[in-house]
Amino acid sequence: MSLAASFLAALPTSNLDSVDDPRALESLLARAIAAAEVRWPTVRLSHRDFVAYLAARMSPGESALSQLPARALDDLYLAFGCTIGDDAAVAAFDSAVLRDIPRALRRGDMDSAHLEDTRQHVATKLLATSPPGIASYAGRGSLRGWVRVIAIRESGRLKDGTKQETPVADDALFDAVASGIVPSQSLLKDAYRKSFKSAFEAALAALSIHDRLLLKQHFLDGLSIDRMASLHDVHRATAARWIAKLLETLLGDTRARLQTELDVNADELESVMRLIQSCMDASIGRALSPRR
């Protein structure tokens, strides 16, 4: 099926009569996809699924051919990827849009903690709900500007004290994740425990917004692997791999940071490293247990 045919099949009925040149439509869609793939080089999505997604966002009663050039089609391409949970699209959205929220909102009366809370709440609203909030973006303006408007509203709501949930603070996430996957941290000597917490929190902070959201959902919100798979519309095995990979990355980074930070002799350092490694080996199975 051609791009134009896929687009027309998903177009609202009231728009069908407005497309009288399928070849022009085919060319327009092909150029839009090529431009989107240049702008987002790491993101590769189904062309037919994207144009169907695009068609569903056309305003009824208006010519689709006249609407398309006025839409931010490359941003819609990224939004589509985020809507279906494509990892590369989410990573690109995090890097290009979400991480810019604190800078875009910075004013004299906003401290860094408030700005970070705002960013995390916007990320949750747009990526971690079902369906994801980003699915409502129709491309009538830039994605960055659309997200900024949401962030301004979210910032005001948080400042007014009307937030519905507690933001994902590093201390809360550390307590939830570390207690869940590294119960043996109590075996660490007092001299190492502070260093371990510092290294673990630094490793947490280095994760992307998307990865931190996954950890929050599993360890803070208590969602099972099956529930997460349903929420993100992926197979259970995929959700399990996400968490397993995150734990490997998180604990591996913690281990590397400890190895750099601790000022102990080689034998003592190796003893600490073996303890961390044993925690790593045992933690993944516990975290992915169906009993959660």
Side-chain angles (χ1 to χ4, degrees):
M1 182 181 291
S2 67
L3 295 177
S6 296
F7 181 88
L8 293 173
L11 198 63
T13 304
S14 59
N15 291 100
L16 288 177
D17 293 339
S18 66
V19 180
D20 53 9
D21 191 347
R23 287 181 297 180
L25 177 61
E26 182 78 19
S27 177
L28 191 158
L29 294 172
R31 291 196 307 272
I33 291 171
E37 291 181 340
V38 169
R39 185 175 179 195
W40 312 111
T42 62
V43 183
R44 288 295 180 269
L45 307 171
S46 164
H47 294 179
R48 292 176 182 174
D49 290 346
F50 167 60
V51 298
Y53 178 88
L54 189 57
R57 279 147 186 82
M58 294 294 100
S59 299
E62 299 178 30
S63 166
L65 278 174
S66 65
Q67 290 186 63
L68 286 171
R71 300 294 180 97
L73 302 182
D74 50 354
D75 280 348
L76 275 166
Y77 182 82
L78 184 65
F80 167 59
C82 292
T83 298
I84 64 175
D86 179 81
D87 289 343
V90 170
F93 178 66
D94 180 15
S95 176
V97 181
L98 291 178
R99 293 187 187 184
D100 191 53
I101 287 176
R103 185 201 61 79
L105 296 185
R106 189 172 295 282
R107 297 202 316 256
D109 60 341
M110 294 185 184
D111 59 25
S112 58
H114 172 79
L115 292 170
E116 180 60 23
D117 284 352
T118 299
R119 182 176 74 147
Q120 292 187 24
H121 277 81
V122 170
T124 300
K125 181 188 292 288
L126 297 183
L127 299 176
T129 55
S130 183
I134 197 171
S136 64
Y137 172 68
R140 293 185 178 86
S142 74
L143 182 58
R144 184 186 295 270
W146 183 78
V147 171
R148 185 174 184 274
V149 170
I150 292 173
I152 290 171
R153 292 172 180 166
E154 193 70 14
S155 172
R157 190 172 66 82
L158 292 174
K159 287 183 73 68
D160 290 341
T162 58
K163 60 186 178 181
Q164 302 295 319
E165 57 184 41
T166 303
V168 188
D170 282 344
D171 283 344
L173 197 52
F174 168 80
D175 290 340
V177 178
S179 64
I181 67 176
V182 196
S184 299
Q185 68 168 311
S186 60
L187 301 177
L188 291 171
K189 294 181 180 180
D190 289 340
Y192 302 149
R193 194 172 296 117
K194 183 176 180 180
S195 294
F196 174 80
K197 186 174 188 291
S198 174
F200 198 96
E201 288 183 335
L204 275 173
L207 295 176
S208 70
I209 286 285
H210 179 249
D211 289 346
R212 287 163 63 90
L213 282 172
L214 292 175
L215 288 175
K216 172 188 179 294
Q217 289 172 344
H218 192 54
F219 292 102
L220 272 177
D221 299 339
L223 299 187
S224 68
I225 293 298
D226 290 326
R227 180 69 185 91
M228 290 185 67
S230 175
L231 179 65
H232 293 280
D233 194 24
V234 297
H235 192 276
R236 184 188 191 281
T238 299
R241 282 195 299 271
W242 284 349
I243 298 299
K245 181 63 176 177
L246 270 175
L247 297 185
E248 289 178 6
T249 299
L250 183 60
L251 294 174
D253 190 11
T254 300
R255 186 184 191 279
R257 291 173 187 273
L258 269 178
Q259 197 160 10
T260 301
E261 180 180 339
L262 290 177
D263 183 20
V264 295
N265 62 52
D267 289 342
E268 194 167 5
L269 176 60
E270 184 56 32
S271 176
V272 175
M273 291 301 105
R274 282 198 301 268
L275 175 57
I276 299 300
Q277 186 63 52
S278 68
C279 291
M280 287 176 61
D281 292 342
S283 67
I284 293 176
R286 286 194 297 270
L288 302 183
S289 169
R291 291 191 299 273
R292 278 190 60 82

